[in-house]
Amino acid sequence: MYSSEAQPVSVGFRGAPFTNADRAAILGVHDPREKNAKPLWSARSFFLLGGTLMLSIVVLLPIWDAVRLLEDPIFVFFVGREIPIRLISVCVGAILLYIISFVAFFTCTRPEARTEQTIFMIGSMVITGLGLSLLLLSAPLRVETDGAYTELFTNCQFGPRSQRLYEYATVLYGIRTADGCKGLPSIEQCEGYEEANPYTGFLKSMEENYKCSGFCFGAGTIAAANAAVSVATEAPAGATTV
């Protein structure tokens, strides 16, 4: 009869036996029957650092894109900072979740439960959660960007995102085309100019970064600019015209 203490043995790729003791040594599991045995912490560190590195490589591109969106003044003005900040938070949170789950797994579970399958299950769950989170964030990002694109190209004069910007741009155009302002190097030196952020700062940023001036310029822009300047000159001191 076979002994009750016999353990199944599998053959390695190089022909050497691969026993349960070898598998326990790789996972850092301590056999209580061995008096002088010590857990192999380097294996745990390998899985922890290796998984963290691979996960960091996965989230590197989304974080990079989110940072670029935060640095784009046009995107920030028309869409805002909320979605890129959420994107960065989700990516960083996925890395922290993997580290916490891995440490808690090796700290709180029994030695016989620490197998290769459970380690890969932790990584799979974190990757799946990250993918679902990015998928959920992509929906509002697309809705906001499509809405801003449609508004700029079809309704820039009366859209909720662009109406005030169009009004300021029209008034600034009227000031710039006045006789006393044409020869000056900057509209900031012209009479009647008042800084009103974020609108004047955004128009200045577009002119400096993209080498374009004006906003939503159309057939009625010149007439609207002249009318706005006329109202501004006739208004009493301290009155707001835009």
Side-chain angles (χ1 to χ4, degrees), residues 74-150:
I74 295 180
F75 180 88
V76 172
F77 183 86
F78 289 106
V79 179
R81 301 177 181 269
E82 182 179 358
I83 297 179
I85 291 177
R86 287 184 180 181
L87 181 60
I88 296 175
S89 302
V90 166
C91 294
V92 175
I95 298 177
L96 296 178
L97 177 62
Y98 174 79
I99 296 175
I100 295 173
S101 301
F102 192 90
V103 174
F105 170 73
F106 273 97
T107 303
C108 303
T109 58
R110 294 177 296 179
E112 56 269 18
R114 302 169 190 172
T115 61
E116 300 96 329
Q117 290 79 9
T118 52
I119 292 177
F120 286 112
M121 183 179 65
I122 293 175
S124 300
M125 292 176 61
V126 173
I127 290 294
T128 302
L130 175 63
L132 292 176
S133 300
L134 295 179
L135 186 62
L136 293 175
L137 285 175
S138 65
L141 178 61
R142 181 174 182 178
V143 171
E144 291 293 334
T145 53
D146 287 346
Y149 175 85
T150 303

Side-chain angles (χ1 to χ4, degrees), residues 159-177:
R161 296 181 178 90
S162 57
Q163 181 179 4
R164 294 292 292 173
L165 182 63
Y166 170 74
E167 294 173 354
Y168 275 95
T170 302
V171 173
L172 293 178
Y173 177 80
I175 296 175
R176 189 57 172 165
T177 55

